[in-house]
Amino acid sequence: KDSTGIHVITCQAAIAWTANAPLSIEKIEVDPPKPGEVRIKIISSGICGTDKHILEGKDKVPLPAILGHEGAGIVESIGEGVTSVKPGNFLIIPQYSCLHPKGNFFIPPTGLMLDGTSRFTCRGRKIYHLYGTSTFTEYTVVHEIAVGKIDDGAPMDRVCIISCGVPTGFGAVFNTARVTPGSTCVVFGLGGIGSAVVMACKASGASRIIGVDINEEKFPWARDLGVTDCLNPQKLEKPVQEVVVEMTGNGVDFAFEAIGLIDTMVSQLEAQFGGWVLPVNMRYTLTS
Ligand SMILES: NC(=O)c1ccc[n+]([C@@H]2O[C@H](COP(=O)([O-])OP(=O)(O)OC[C@H]3O[C@@H](n4cnc5c(N)ncnc54)[C@H](O)[C@@H]3O)[C@@H](O)[C@H]2O)c1
């Protein structure tokens, strides 16, 4: 119990002890929220490509940690001074605070809360947070600035993707690239981010949206979202960027890379002949 009578919660979480190893389901203790913090019962969490990069050791964050950074949940308790939410409120947990129209605040990647401590322990060891979020757990603690109150009737099993995937894709299209009506676009990668990019290109009035992926199971879904042409680079006789340039005459107006590979970033650049270039996965530079 802390000074305001809030208890430590014991629950389960998926711990990343090291990179290149499976997540381990463990019993953890979650401390009460400190001033300005919110403790949340997680209802759903997306799995982002960035979680995968961390587990593969490609993105370095302090470990052991509780990964996951696109979650939806219900406020369990609040720390002193929290005014924007109260217990029982439904939330999404974006990793950004976007109050300023020109910028956002990204929680520093120290793996700790802003006071320099962690709210998680497992088997007596301190467990790090991820980007001030950590959603692969039954309960988490985040800063008040990293929560977004949503309607009680929101579909809690799906709304979590509005915390990361959807704003990353829509932000890239609307805020950074500013796709124009009638334009041609190519989207490399038709996963979570790529799907959001496709939806935003369509909403911007793009007349042709070429989707590129090596997993053809993504194609019917991508077509439903707005992709007009699907390409599997593994089935082409020449580099995909050459095919895109041929299909479009002189390249596309806007190219998006939503995979996270150097090779496909180069293809994305080359698919575009004098237009906007936008690597979706340049984290910290994109708005959401
Ligand atoms: N900038 C940000 O804030 C931000 C936010 C979220 C994700 N990301 C990054 O965006 C990228 C995509 O994330 P996601 O969650 O959409 O991942 P995802 O796993 O859902 O989607 C990746 C897609 O790429 C496809 N793919 C893999 N290799 C390919 C290849 N060689 N050629 C063509 N297609 C290939 C996969 O089949 C899959 O459909 C990751 O690098 C992630 O780190 C950035």
Side-chain angles (χ1 to χ4, degrees):
K1 248 186 204 183
D2 71 0
S3 57
T4 59
I6 305 178
H7 292 261
V8 169
I9 288 179
T10 302
C11 66
Q12 288 197 307
I15 310 280
W17 289 104
T18 62
N20 299 307
L23 295 175
S24 169
I25 306 294
E26 308 262 358
K27 194 185 271 187
I28 62 158
E29 290 81 45
V30 183
D31 288 345
K34 289 194 176 174
E37 298 175 357
V38 181
R39 191 163 63 182
I40 300 164
K41 179 177 169 56
I42 297 287
I43 304 296
S44 65
S45 175
I47 301 173
C48 176
T50 306
D51 297 309
K52 191 168 148 251
H53 291 326
I54 293 169
L55 277 176
E56 291 168 344
K58 293 177 185 161
D59 272 13
K60 307 278 182 224
V61 301
L63 299 176
I66 297 174
L67 307 184
H69 57 276
E70 54 180 10
I74 299 171
V75 178
E76 179 273 334
S77 57
I78 53 174
E80 238 173 81
V82 170
T83 53
S84 63
V85 292
K86 57 179 194 301
N89 283 164
F90 287 51
L91 303 172
I92 55 168
I93 311 168
Q95 51 189 306
Y96 314 99
S97 169
C98 301
L99 291 181
H100 195 282
K102 283 193 178 169
N104 56 35
F105 174 75
F106 189 84
I107 310 287
T110 58
L112 297 169
M113 299 298 277
L114 289 172
D115 72 349
T117 62
S118 163
R119 302 290 163 269
F120 303 126
T121 44
C122 179
R123 294 192 245 148
R125 268 186 82 176
K126 174 172 77 178
I127 304 295
Y128 288 101
H129 296 246
L130 179 73
Y131 309 147
T133 49
S134 290
T135 57
F136 294 171
T137 169
E138 291 177 302
Y139 287 86
T140 191
V141 177
V142 306
H143 300 282
E144 183 183 11
I145 53 163
V147 299
K149 196 160 168 283
I150 55 172
D151 291 347
D152 289 359
M156 294 299 281
D157 57 336
R158 274 159 284 165
V159 75
C160 56
I161 60 169
I162 294 179
S163 300
C164 173
V166 172
T168 300
F170 274 73
V173 173
F174 288 160
N175 300 339
T176 312
R178 296 174 198 267
V179 167
T180 45
S183 54
T184 54
C185 304
V186 62
V187 184
F188 288 82
L190 298 170
I193 304 296
S195 297
V197 168
V198 168
M199 286 190 281
C201 287
K202 186 174 179 194
S204 301
S207 57
R208 193 169 189 190
I209 306 170
I210 302 168
V212 178
D213 205 296
I214 51 173
N215 179 355
E216 294 191 16
E217 284 178 15
K218 305 284 173 105
F219 292 169
W221 166 260
R223 284 186 196 280
D224 284 349
L225 295 179
V227 165
T228 52
D229 310 76
C230 293
L231 295 176
N232 177 351
Q234 291 175 335
K235 297 218 174 135
L236 300 172
E237 280 169 10
K238 45 177 99 165
V240 63
Q241 57 270 36
E242 284 182 38
V243 174
V244 170
V245 170
E246 278 173 19
M247 284 166 71
T248 52
N250 60 355
V252 293
D253 299 309
F254 300 93
F256 299 87
E257 201 280 348
I259 302 167
L261 297 175
I262 302 290
D263 282 355
T264 48
M265 288 182 200
V266 171
S267 304
Q268 170 233 6
L269 284 165
E270 291 178 359
Q272 202 167 25
F273 193 75
W276 285 88
V277 173
L278 182 69
V280 170
N281 46 348
M282 286 186 72
R283 194 163 329 119
Y284 309 122
T285 61
L286 291 176
T287 51
S288 60

